[in-house]
Amino acid sequence: MKITLLTGRTSDLQEQILQQLHLKIKIIRSSQAKRLTLRIDSKEHLPVLTMPTRGSEKKAFNFVFAHQDWIINMLSRLPQEQKFCDNCQFSLFGKETTLKHQPHAKGGVYMENGELIVCGHAEFIHRRTTDFLKKLAKTKLTDLAKQKATLIGCPINSVTIKDTKSRWGSCSSKNNLNFNWRIIFAPQYVIDYLVCHEVAHLLHQDHSPAFWKCVSDLCPQYKEGRQWLKVKGKELYRFE
């Protein structure tokens, strides 16, 4: 499928929409598109217009103009991004956690009695918290993946933590697993589903009935976890 993203004349259309409608928009020209369509990219907080490769820019502009109220309404429903700060609350592996800033304490960042303690200057709270949570995600998800992989007798070559926008996890043909670190904000059964999904790919590099049978054996609640991630996954991007 040939796709051209924000290049050539398309960027002129993007600029026209920005100047006249005050909307930032991502525009995709696709050889497979038969008509104009709009969707909202919840991770980038942008409307996305897909149009045929040779589609009329005038029709595209009028299409966006006719749907601008819908765009604004849908964007307003997205969770607003925020930084980690003193007393902010979030779910961590299914447990409600409160961040407590202790500027004069020593120890960096650590868990204590259900609280995440962050030491040092206030301007470093967000970065230190993010760094700590990514390391925690690496440890916890690696341990869980290895436990699940042992059940089906498959080795894991490596586990990598990423901050991707397009997917929550992946499994390569070399048995390398990748996970989006933000999954740790989801309920535990959702985390279990994602890990089991990728571990099952160690045996089945497809989504065949045999693959889903393997996922079901590893995670009996996989349907609930899959549905939660599909409906509420965008909420895990609340923090920058």
Side-chain angles (χ1 to χ4, degrees):
M1 178 175 65
K2 182 180 179 181
I3 292 180
T4 304
L5 175 61
L6 300 182
T7 59
R9 294 177 59 198
T10 301
S11 61
D12 296 334
L13 174 59
Q14 183 191 35
E15 185 65 24
Q16 182 184 13
I17 292 173
L18 177 61
Q19 290 184 358
Q20 298 191 38
L21 303 182
H22 307 291
L23 286 173
K24 290 184 178 180
I25 191 168
K26 180 188 292 185
I27 300 174
I28 298 176
R29 285 186 181 271
S30 170
S31 60
Q32 291 193 352
K34 303 300 182 183
R35 57 189 176 86
L36 296 165
T37 60
L38 274 169
R39 64 180 177 84
I40 301 297
D41 187 322
S42 60
K43 299 179 181 65
E44 295 189 23
H45 284 240
L46 282 175
V48 180
L49 171 68
T50 301
M51 59 188 297
T53 302
R54 300 182 183 278
S56 164
E57 291 192 3
K58 182 178 180 180
K59 288 183 178 180
F61 178 86
N62 290 336
F63 183 76
V64 175
F65 176 79
H67 291 84
Q68 61 180 321
D69 289 343
W70 177 85
I71 293 173
I72 294 172
N73 180 48
M74 294 302 292
L75 288 174
S76 69
R77 297 183 183 184
L78 296 178
Q80 297 301 307
E81 291 184 340
Q82 66 182 85
K83 290 183 178 293
F84 291 106
C85 60
D86 188 29
N87 289 319
C88 67
Q89 297 181 322
F90 48 89
S91 174
L92 196 57
F93 293 98
K95 297 181 179 180
E96 288 304 311
T97 304
T98 301
L99 188 154
K100 291 293 184 180
H101 180 219
Q102 296 185 4
H104 303 298
K106 295 182 179 180
V109 183
Y110 55 91
M111 295 295 302
E112 183 177 81
N113 299 324
E115 295 181 338
L116 183 65
I117 309 300
V118 183
C119 309
H121 296 295
E123 60 265 32
F124 301 125
I125 292 176
H126 182 76
R127 178 180 61 79
R128 287 177 175 170
T129 301
T130 301
D131 289 345
F132 174 84
L133 293 179
K134 287 180 178 179
K135 290 180 181 178
L136 182 64
K138 169 79 170 180
T139 299
K140 296 287 189 179
L141 296 178
T142 297
D143 289 347
L144 181 58
K146 288 183 176 180
Q147 291 173 19
K148 298 297 183 178
T150 298
L151 296 177
I152 59 174
C154 288
I156 295 175
N157 184 42
S158 68
V159 175
T160 303
I161 300 302
K162 298 185 176 182
D163 190 6
T164 55
K165 297 291 186 180
S166 59
R167 60 200 311 180
W168 290 105
S170 63
C171 174
S172 75
S173 59
K174 295 182 179 181
N175 289 9
N176 297 320
L177 302 184
N178 301 300
F179 295 106
N180 186 326
W181 73 273
R182 296 173 183 276
I183 193 64
I184 66 177
F185 298 130
Q188 185 62 51
Y189 72 92
V190 180
I191 298 172
D192 290 344
Y193 156 68
L194 177 66
V195 171
C196 291
H197 183 116
E198 301 310 331
V199 166
H201 278 311
L202 296 171
L203 273 181
H204 308 281
Q205 288 289 331
D206 53 30
H207 289 95
S208 62
F211 164 81
W212 287 112
K213 175 63 166 58
C214 183
V215 174
S216 177
D217 291 341
L218 291 172
C219 180
Q221 278 189 284
Y222 86 92
K223 290 183 179 179
E224 292 88 338
R226 186 185 184 198
Q227 181 64 16
W228 191 99
L229 201 54
K230 183 183 298 184
V231 175
K232 297 186 177 182
K234 62 185 179 183
E235 297 177 8
L236 304 184
Y237 284 86
R238 176 163 61 99
F239 291 99
E240 295 181 9

